[in-house]
Amino acid sequence: MSLIKEFIQFAKTRKKIWLFPIILLALILGGLVILTEGSAIAPFIYTVF
């Protein structure tokens, strides 16, 4: 949790707020790949990228 707090503080002080949507999107896509790894949807997701 301290890593997340430090990153938020860093982003605020360095005016790097634009990084939040990029990191959020990367986390969502990573979670999607992990969750659909063993399912029948996986081939369709991999063809999108």
Side-chain angles (χ1 to χ4, degrees):
M1 287 303 280
S2 66
L3 180 66
I4 295 170
K5 289 179 185 176
E6 279 187 42
F7 179 73
I8 291 171
Q9 185 180 15
F10 167 78
K12 285 182 181 178
T13 57
R14 304 271 193 233
K15 306 289 191 246
K16 301 286 185 186
I17 301 297
W18 55 271
L19 286 174
F20 288 123
I22 296 170
I23 292 172
L24 183 66
L25 183 66
L27 288 173
I28 290 172
L29 289 176
L32 184 64
V33 168
I34 290 171
L35 289 175
T36 60
E37 199 170 280
S39 71
I41 302 172
F44 299 109
I45 291 179
Y46 288 121
T47 57
V48 170
F49 301 108

